[in-house]
Amino acid sequence: MDEDTWIRTNIRQRKCTVFSRLQRKTSCKCWRSESEHQDPDSINDEDWSTSRNTASEPCRNYGKIYFVEEGRTSQYVRIDVESDMSIVEHLLLEVWRLPKPKWMFSVIGDRHKQADAKEKEIRCQLKGLMKSFSNGQNIWITTEGINYGIAKMVGDYIKDEPSKYITPVGVYAWAGVDDEVIKKLETEQPQIPEKTQGNRPSALYKHHLLVDDGSLNPSHVHKSFQDFRMRLETSMTKHSEGTSSIPLVAVLYCGWAYVLDGVQSAIENNVPVVVLKGTGGMADVFASVFEDSKEDRTSSSGDSEKEWTGTVIDDVLRNHVKKEFTKVHEQMDDEAGQYKILQCLQKRELITVVHIDEKETALVNAVIQALLKSKTVPEVLQILDYYMPARLFDGEGAAAAALNIQEQRRHLSETIGMFLLQAMLMDEAESAQFIIDYNGVDLKDFFTETVISDLCKVTHCTQPLETSYNLFPRSSATSYGPKEEVFRRLMMWAVQTDRLKCAALFWKKGTHLLTSSLLAALVLRSRMRDEENIGSQKTLEEQAILFQSRAIGLINKCYDDHKERTMKLIQSQLADNIWEQDLMRCSLAVHNRRIFATEAYRKYSERVWFGKINPPIQDKYKELKKMTIKENETRCARLGRLVIAPVTTYTLNLLFYVCFLGLFGHTLLFEMKKEFSALEGILVGWWFTFVWEEIRQIVKIKQSEQAYCSRDKCQCCCKWKLGADFRGYFFDNYWNILDCVSLGFFLIGAVLMTIVHLDTSRNYVYEAARVILSLDIMFFTWRILQHLAIFRIMGPVLEMIFQMIKDLFPFLVIMSVFIISQGLAAHALLYPNRVWSPEALIDIPRSAFWNLFGELGLDEIEASETQDECSSNPLLFENDTLNECPSTLGKYIVPLLLALHMLLLNVLLLNILIARFSFTFQMIHDQTEWLAAWQKAKVILEYYSKPPVPPPFNVFFDVGYFLYVCCKSVQVAPKEAKDQNAEMDSWERSMGEYYLATEEFKSGSKRMSPLGQKHDNKEGMVKTFRAVPEPSSSSEVASSNNGMDILKVEDLVGSLRKQIQSMKSDLKEAIATQVRKEMRKVLEQYGPRSAETPRRAVPENHILALDDYDGQEENA
């Protein structure tokens, strides 16, 4: 059947047949005269509609249009608005032989006065869009196809840069074309003469669909042809079984009010819409209202697969819509158009706004963002599949491989890179993982410094990734590949910008997961302290807890899998990691201390405690300690290692500290004379060694900070400041505060005693020295509690004391307010007009304070002059002969105030304090296990970094060690081989994936398989994914075909079957071993006769046979 016959047979047009009179006019509501209707006598005064007033008839207007001025021809057809879309598709694909599209763009809009000034920017955006999506795949662009506005710009671009992959299709209203042109089209061989003005089909489009609804009324015409176009586009993009869906995106460009029908039709069909802001018209109205409106996340479209974000509709928004609408239509108040805007805003996820003045790729990024927001994960993965080197979904593997020539592959890689960036910005981890796993982009070449810098600018990440939170790039990247470095930086970017899903993705793809998770938790905690919004603080805290849980879960999985390798894992990341941060320092941070609840950290701490492991932390004596560990050690070597172990250092420090306290106490009790004694000289020398040790710790902190700062060229973010170091020195360990106080008091006391020794007549200085040194020995004695923190029971108790002291401070402030108020009121009532004196200021709060402990002082309140207990004579009580008598009024009112005072303090505040103490006790009691392990680890690491000998011999040891290092080179233990490190990293990464898969399964979530099918995310899937081979290179893909793909699938199924059989045999073996152990216990407990006791025989296959599930497991 030829083209003419098929069109006449299948394509129809429409004509108004039932006359509906306009008010006070002789014409029909279709805007045609009465004589143009077939049956003028059939009059219907109801509202005009296509179904009621029109009838279809065979198409008479079709064929080719010859444009005289351009010298081009185009095919056109006048088509019924209610045509079946399958017939229209057949016309386009089979009759007109248009290539089947892989992408479809629906451009909605027409000319507007503001858009003419933006023609250059619009052409630039169109160029970027066409360039990105038309390489190697067919794209359709549907516009109105007329000779002005955005349709003309699209046509001009295709004329200037023709491409066989771009197919423009014009869809416009038959009645929208000028009458002069319609008369030409109704002839057998229509010709459009030169300089034809008005609406006419453009010569730059080779195919035009002129939609006919039987009306000439613009309100009917504009809506009908736009609905027809959207039905056609959605029908074209629906995929049949075995094929991928075709992505469809609508683009709104300026336009008058009628374009809202097209936008509304797209939104109703769940088609994403990109609004070009800055082009004027309805596009600017839509963009302004969208950006200024508020989201309503509780709204839903009713679709079970997709939840849409709605908009809060209130009077403020309605007025804003009306205001913006009247800017475009100054003389028009179109309530219907305003209502359409509000309706479209109820699916905000389908709307994306982009400014026309942005860079060339802005429209491309907006299209990608719109697809990621509106499509489900399987649909997005199918779209991405085209750009991958190896096809997964489509059966067109050979055709895709043929396109993988170098030039097209480069353009496809650029497009998939844009997809990856948008997926990261929108936190779409599934799409990003798909691109990364199947080599969609070369991470090393794609993520350059410029790209990462642009990411930071877009996400308003003010601090550079390298210097944020004192995390610096590696000084040398020889030990780690560029991919690991990219994942490291991307993970930190995701953590800083709240992309939680992408942070988890880059975390598991990177290396040194344990260190990464702990650092991420610390960064989030740091951001939480700087955040002022309470909701944001809560979110950051939840994310920090999540990363901390990942570290705990990872180390637990590693320890369950292989204990010794876990010890090596911790040791290796202490020695060297991609962050170049101290892992133990991150673990010992207050917010990360829960990790010490893990068995792995406890075992590691114990080995360090007894000198079996020497952690390679930043330590002055690490070289001396490292060289003592050797394989096949002799007894003497083990004894020498034990001598410098932390347990020995701790014991020696404790013994000598007790000796110091004994000597100090003996001197204070029995040798505290005004003459200088030898014991005082010994105490001063001992005090100097304590000061030496504190200075050494501060210098160690400074050197550690400078070590990190020296790796970065920019020193502005990490200059060492003395005040900052002292703050870290104090608040990282509260015992340091006590050390400085005790040493400071000793210095003051020693200075005062020196003055006394020089002049023994100064008794007041001597008394002051005695008071200060008496307080000082109390502080030094408290310091011994730090040595008890290593014990499991004492450590949490000390933590309770510290926390309860914090709880006590607010209570003391409130209590002081009540004490002062009670003292002032009581003294004002009891002793009016009292003479001012310093003693009076002391008496005012004193009685009120001791009331708290039961000293009510009623005898003083009720004292009377008749019993010689007091006197009203000023001469007697001013010279302290007798106390002043209280006033009569005060004797009655002050007891009432005292009762109120006792009620508030002893009953109310005291019980509140007890309740707070109980809460603190219960909280710390619940954390006893890991809190005790954390405190023990802190003590162990502290004594590991100290000299092997205690004060007062540490000064001599430091001097000797310095001379030893200067005179003799120290043999350093060799670093682990690079392949061993790679093996350790691979094992850690697999354990991380295993942990994440387990957590997803426990939470009941569903995981998307590579083929887009949903299934339960069971633990065994981890091994299944590991068995998937790496994607092939482009050269291998080019030579592949469907048969080879089937063979690969069969190989994969075979490998999975072998893994299942291996798992079964391992499980059988484990069960049999356990059964044998239990039988031995029974024989040992009840003797051999119990084995002879008759029992029911259990077939072996009922116990160990797992082959009954072969079919189910292999199918899975």
Side-chain angles (χ1 to χ4, degrees), residues 298-309:
T298 60
S299 66
S300 171
S301 66
D303 190 357
S304 59
E305 294 184 358
K306 190 74 176 177
E307 293 289 335
W308 305 109
T309 303

Side-chain angles (χ1 to χ4, degrees), residues 233-281:
E233 291 164 347
T234 53
S235 175
M236 292 289 296
T237 55
K238 288 181 180 179
H239 64 283
S240 58
E241 185 177 358
T243 62
S244 301
S245 61
I246 300 172
L248 168 63
V249 178
V251 180
L252 176 59
Y253 163 87
C254 66
W256 297 97
Y258 79 88
V259 301
L260 294 176
D261 293 323
V263 177
Q264 187 179 27
S265 179
I267 297 293
E268 290 174 353
N269 288 277
N270 293 334
V271 175
V273 178
V274 176
V275 182
L276 292 177
K277 183 179 180 181
T279 57

Side-chain angles (χ1 to χ4, degrees), residues 689-743:
T689 60
F690 285 140
V691 174
W692 177 279
E693 179 63 23
E694 296 300 322
I695 294 175
R696 187 192 65 82
Q697 293 183 21
I698 296 176
V699 172
K700 176 187 172 185
I701 295 175
K702 173 185 174 182
Q703 290 177 346
S704 177
E705 296 295 335
Q706 286 182 338
Y708 294 126
C709 294
S710 61
R711 298 191 185 108
D712 193 54
K713 295 180 180 179
C714 180
Q715 300 292 330
C716 59
C717 297
C718 55
K719 289 182 179 179
W720 180 71
K721 296 180 180 179
L722 186 61
D725 275 313
F726 270 112
R727 286 195 299 270
Y729 171 74
F730 278 119
F731 295 108
D732 287 348
N733 192 343
Y734 291 122
W735 296 110
N736 292 331
I737 301 177
L738 187 59
D739 285 339
C740 294
V741 171
S742 58
L743 294 174

Side-chain angles (χ1 to χ4, degrees), residues 790-1036:
I790 199 167
F791 298 104
R792 182 179 176 276
I793 298 177
M794 295 300 297
V797 171
L798 292 174
E799 184 67 21
M800 288 180 190
I801 294 173
F802 282 122
Q803 294 300 326
M804 288 181 180
I805 289 175
K806 290 182 180 179
D807 297 336
L808 188 61
F809 278 114
F811 173 81
L812 292 177
V813 173
I814 299 173
M815 185 184 69
S816 301
V817 174
F818 282 107
I819 288 174
I820 293 173
S821 63
Q822 167 66 15
L824 290 172
H827 276 262
L829 290 170
L830 291 173
Y831 310 109
N833 300 320
R834 189 175 182 180
V835 179
W836 184 91
S837 65
E839 291 78 7
L841 294 179
I842 298 175
D843 289 340
I844 289 174
R846 183 181 60 182
S847 59
F849 175 77
W850 291 112
N851 291 157
L852 182 64
F853 300 99
E855 294 290 338
L856 302 181
L858 292 176
D859 295 338
E860 182 181 352
I861 297 174
E862 297 174 354
S864 64
E865 191 173 359
T866 58
Q867 299 176 359
D868 295 332
E869 296 175 349
C870 60
S871 175
S872 300
N873 187 355
L875 298 176
L876 295 178
F877 62 76
E878 287 180 1
N879 59 9
D880 296 333
T881 303
L882 289 175
N883 294 328
E884 183 180 1
C885 287
S887 66
T888 305
L889 181 63
K891 290 181 180 181
Y892 293 101
I893 298 180
V894 169
L896 297 178
L897 296 178
L898 179 61
L900 179 62
H901 176 67
M902 297 296 292
L903 180 65
L904 291 175
L905 261 66
N906 286 35
V907 177
L908 181 62
L909 289 182
L910 190 59
N911 281 280
I912 291 175
L913 181 63
I914 293 173
R916 181 63 186 175
F917 283 171
S918 300
F919 173 77
T920 302
F921 172 83
Q922 188 61 43
M923 180 183 64
I924 296 179
H925 179 72
D926 295 339
Q927 303 171 355
T928 298
E929 294 297 327
W930 57 263
L931 194 58
W934 173 69
Q935 289 183 319
K936 182 178 180 179
K938 286 185 69 176
V939 175
I940 290 172
L941 267 296
E942 180 181 347
Y943 282 96
Y944 177 81
S945 61
K946 285 187 175 183
V949 295
F953 308 109
N954 57 336
V955 177
F956 305 105
F957 181 85
D958 286 339
V959 174
Y961 181 76
F962 177 75
L963 297 176
Y964 169 77
V965 172
C966 292
C967 298
K968 185 177 180 180
S969 60
V970 181
Q971 295 180 358
V972 181
K975 292 185 178 181
E976 294 183 359
K978 187 175 180 180
D979 54 350
Q980 294 180 355
N981 289 334
E983 182 182 357
M984 188 73 70
D985 294 341
S986 177
W987 176 68
E988 183 192 24
R989 194 178 295 112
S990 64
M991 289 295 102
E993 293 179 356
Y994 177 43
Y995 163 73
L996 290 179
T998 306
E999 289 301 309
E1000 290 177 6
F1001 174 65
K1002 288 180 180 178
S1003 63
S1005 61
K1006 300 291 184 179
R1007 178 167 177 165
M1008 203 64 58
S1009 69
L1011 299 181
Q1013 300 172 350
K1014 293 183 178 179
H1015 53 74
D1016 291 336
N1017 183 22
K1018 297 186 177 181
E1019 297 178 7
M1021 283 194 57
V1022 179
K1023 295 185 178 181
T1024 303
F1025 286 129
R1026 291 180 197 161
V1028 178
E1030 291 292 329
S1032 306
S1033 62
S1034 58
S1035 59
E1036 293 174 345

